[in-house]
Amino acid sequence: MGTVERKEREKESRKESIIDAAQKVFFEKGLLTATMDDIAEHAELAKGTLYLYYRSKEDLYLAVMMRGLVLLRGMFEEVIAQHYSTVRTLAELTNTFVRFFEHHRNYFRMFHFFNTPQFHKQVSEEMMTACDRCNESLWSLATGVLERGRAEGRIRTELRPIEIVIVLWTSASSLMMRIDSQGELFRQKLTVDLEHTLRVSNILLLESVMTDAGKKELSELQS
Amino acid sequence: MGTVERKEREKESRKESIIDAAQKVFFEKGLLTATMDDIAEHAELAKGTLYLYYRSKEDLYLAVMMRGLVLLRGMFEEVIAQHYSTVRTLAELTNTFVRFFEHHRNYFRMFHFFNTPQFHKQVSEEMMTACDRCNESLWSLATGVLERGRAEGRIRTELRPIEIVIVLWTSASSLMMRIDSQGELFRQKLTVDLEHTLRVSNILLLESVMTDAGKKELSELQS
DNA sequence: TGTAGTTTATGACCAACGGTCATTTCATTG
DNA sequence: CAATGAAATGACCGTTGGTCATAAACTACA
């Protein structure tokens, strides 16, 4: 009598196929322009059915965004699995984040709304904590590396590892967000290449949290 | 026959009083929750009248936001007028930005939407360029200081002054934005004091764009 | 296989809201 | 005091997120 289990599986796969549809629509139109009717049509379901599986449009949006977080975490894990030196690992993690931005921009864009104040109110408690957990597990990969670097005397101690992650992540994200939305404007009106700004800024930030030993190793890596 | 001039003045003051009403409502409810009916009521006008003066809700929002930009620019100008040394001026500008965040948080919050991709589409061309100009004039205050610092050999040359401004501004803003929306969460769940993170991160960033001479002067200022 | 009972799906419907426009009100002018 | 033009109004519209009474599909058991 595996009926219950089968139902469970079916429910799960239905949820997934709804996310598939939502992803297509959100990627194409963004949060504000996408409509639930639109998603329902892509999912070949009635609108009401969507609400049996997700509490709100925003919940659905976050469900898609979490796929991006999981993807990025996988990329981070791959880097760490290479067992580079601490300093090199940090540099590679930074580059990986930039690569994620370049290759999976649709997912990256979704991260922005997670920081929008008004956005949170539309989201269910469960989905919010699920996202928080996912985000935390991502950051903890980096804090792990930083702790090792601290023990090795490569990382300065003014900031805790978690604080360093926050600074690096926040600063890189917001610069990439700006590239995404205003990159062309900056290039044309101010002749600024924000991609260049991003690369240099990442290096400067990394340097700024490293001891002299760390800086030395980092600069050797650049060449 | 100053009729035309008087009409012009009246129109201007009507626009201002609409912004007054909009400001009250936006401060209280934010962009998404605030409604045009709400603003109309506060302005003691019919909703249709608002649209005689502003093209859209978003235009109105930006009109309020620009007050914040102007206010901040004034604060920056005051700092510069003190004629501190270049390094000290930069440090003071950074602190001023943080102070603006602390004392005028309602304005600061509005800055966020300016970077939201979907947001731009609802905004009229004129309002957009007006904001751009305002923002530019703000940033150019800082680039001016940085250029002087460069000439004095206090500022590194890997990044152009405008790029440095972008990095400092973007990174500080996004950290403050996070403090605003998730500060308590971080304090409770990760025991992280993001205000502390912000202060240190600002110093690290400043250091990272300075030459040794600049760094020396900066560290003397801290004590 | 038939039927009672339960789960899942549906789409007409609702309320809220941004924005419009025909109509009215007000001010200016000669 | 009309005549003319500008400014203000609010009923109205289309869109959209979300709901819920009803229907369809599926399960379980006799």
Side-chain angles (χ1 to χ4, degrees):
Chain A
M1 259 314 161
T3 318
V4 180
E5 287 84 351
R6 201 203 65 212
K7 284 235 170 173
E8 202 56 41
R9 275 202 316 277
E10 278 178 2
K11 188 163 184 173
E12 218 42 52
S13 96
R14 174 59 51 98
K15 285 186 91 166
E16 281 304 307
S17 79
I18 288 176
I19 300 189
D20 287 340
Q23 175 167 314
K24 209 174 287 180
V25 176
F26 282 136
F27 276 8
E28 212 170 288
K29 306 198 172 180
L31 173 65
L32 299 179
T33 316
T35 72
M36 288 301 269
D37 289 287
D38 215 342
I39 294 170
E41 198 174 334
H42 270 78
E44 295 172 305
L45 288 171
K47 181 164 61 166
T49 311
L50 301 184
Y51 287 91
L52 297 178
Y53 294 90
Y54 295 95
R55 275 224 223 294
S56 68
K57 191 188 181 185
E58 283 74 14
D59 262 37
L60 200 36
Y61 191 79
L62 287 190
V64 178
M65 190 197 75
M66 273 183 59
R67 283 191 177 174
L69 283 179
V70 170
L71 176 61
L72 180 56
R73 187 177 55 195
M75 290 168 72
F76 277 7
E77 278 163 353
E78 273 180 39
V79 169
I80 290 173
Q82 302 289 320
H83 293 100
Y84 297 134
S85 75
T86 305
V87 170
R88 176 155 182 209
T89 304
L90 286 173
E92 294 289 343
L93 284 177
T94 306
N95 293 337
T96 301
F97 195 21
V98 175
R99 211 160 42 241
F100 177 82
F101 165 66
E102 287 165 350
H103 294 5
H104 306 281
R105 195 163 298 200
N106 282 319
Y107 280 129
F108 179 84
R109 280 194 186 121
M110 302 187 90
F111 295 173
H112 178 76
F113 281 91
F114 198 54
N115 289 1
T116 302
Q118 302 273 319
F119 183 78
H120 288 60
K121 294 180 185 160
Q122 317 289 329
V123 176
S124 73
E125 194 77 28
E126 304 93 302
M127 187 56 82
M128 204 61 200
T129 56
C131 282
D132 278 341
R133 249 200 301 278
C134 201
N135 196 36
E136 231 170 276
S137 82
L138 189 64
W139 284 11
S140 79
L141 290 177
T143 51
V145 178
L146 283 165
E147 265 150 22
R148 205 179 71 202
R150 227 186 193 193
E152 294 170 357
R154 295 284 198 277
I155 301 294
R156 286 165 71 167
T157 53
E158 279 94 338
L159 285 174
R160 289 163 56 191
I162 178 68
E163 289 182 290
I164 295 178
V165 172
I166 294 170
V167 171
L168 291 174
W169 173 278
T170 303
S171 157
S173 324
S174 58
L175 208 44
M176 294 190 280
M177 212 61 84
R178 200 179 278 275
I179 291 175
D180 187 48
S181 64
Q182 305 185 302
E184 276 316 302
L185 189 84
F186 274 79
R187 195 183 308 281
Q188 283 160 23
K189 287 194 57 179
L190 302 170
T191 63
V192 171
D193 176 13
L194 286 183
E195 274 94 354
H196 170 260
T197 313
L198 174 65
R199 280 192 304 273
V200 178
S201 143
N202 279 338
I203 295 171
L204 290 182
L205 271 170
L206 272 180
E207 270 183 8
S208 75
V209 298
M210 287 188 184
T211 60
D212 288 336
K215 277 180 201 166
K216 184 156 167 287
E217 194 185 332
L218 186 65
S219 73
E220 279 161 11
L221 276 177
Q222 307 299 326
S223 51
Chain B
M1 266 307 166
T3 318
V4 180
E5 287 84 349
R6 200 204 63 211
K7 284 235 171 172
E8 202 56 41
R9 275 202 315 277
E10 279 178 359
K11 188 163 184 172
E12 218 44 51
S13 95
R14 173 59 50 100
K15 285 187 91 167
E16 282 303 309
S17 80
I18 288 177
I19 301 188
D20 286 340
Q23 175 167 314
K24 208 173 289 181
V25 176
F26 282 136
F27 277 8
E28 212 169 290
K29 306 198 175 182
L31 172 63
L32 299 179
T33 317
T35 73
M36 289 301 270
D37 289 285
D38 216 340
I39 294 171
E41 198 175 334
H42 270 81
E44 295 172 305
L45 289 171
K47 181 164 63 167
T49 311
L50 301 183
Y51 287 91
L52 297 177
Y53 294 89
Y54 296 93
R55 275 223 222 295
S56 67
K57 189 188 180 184
E58 283 74 15
D59 263 37
L60 199 36
Y61 191 80
L62 287 190
V64 178
M65 191 197 74
M66 273 183 58
R67 285 191 176 174
L69 284 178
V70 171
L71 176 61
L72 180 56
R73 186 177 56 197
M75 290 167 73
F76 277 7
E77 276 162 354
E78 273 180 39
V79 169
I80 290 172
Q82 302 288 319
H83 293 100
Y84 296 134
S85 74
T86 305
V87 171
R88 176 155 182 207
T89 304
L90 287 174
E92 294 289 344
L93 284 177
T94 306
N95 293 337
T96 300
F97 195 20
V98 175
R99 212 162 40 241
F100 177 82
F101 165 66
E102 286 166 349
H103 294 6
H104 306 281
R105 193 162 299 200
N106 282 319
Y107 280 129
F108 179 84
R109 281 195 186 118
M110 303 187 89
F111 294 173
H112 178 76
F113 281 91
F114 198 54
N115 289 1
T116 302
Q118 302 271 321
F119 182 79
H120 288 59
K121 293 179 186 161
Q122 317 288 330
V123 176
S124 74
E125 196 77 28
E126 304 93 301
M127 186 56 81
M128 204 61 199
T129 56
C131 282
D132 278 342
R133 248 201 302 279
C134 202
N135 197 36
E136 231 171 277
S137 81
L138 189 64
W139 284 10
S140 79
L141 290 178
T143 52
V145 177
L146 283 164
E147 265 149 23
R148 204 179 70 202
R150 226 187 193 192
E152 294 170 357
R154 294 284 199 276
I155 301 294
R156 286 165 70 167
T157 53
E158 279 94 337
L159 286 174
R160 290 163 55 192
I162 178 68
E163 289 182 290
I164 295 178
V165 172
I166 294 169
V167 171
L168 291 175
W169 173 278
T170 304
S171 145
S173 319
S174 58
L175 207 45
M176 292 190 282
M177 212 60 84
R178 201 179 279 275
I179 291 174
D180 188 47
S181 64
Q182 305 185 302
E184 277 314 302
L185 189 83
F186 275 77
R187 196 183 307 281
Q188 283 161 22
K189 286 194 56 178
L190 303 169
T191 62
V192 171
D193 176 13
L194 285 183
E195 275 93 354
H196 170 260
T197 313
L198 174 65
R199 280 193 302 274
V200 178
S201 146
N202 278 338
I203 294 171
L204 289 182
L205 272 169
L206 272 179
E207 269 183 9
S208 75
V209 297
M210 287 190 184
T211 60
D212 287 337
K215 276 180 202 167
K216 184 155 165 289
E217 195 185 332
L218 186 65
S219 73
E220 278 161 10
L221 276 177
Q222 307 299 326
S223 51

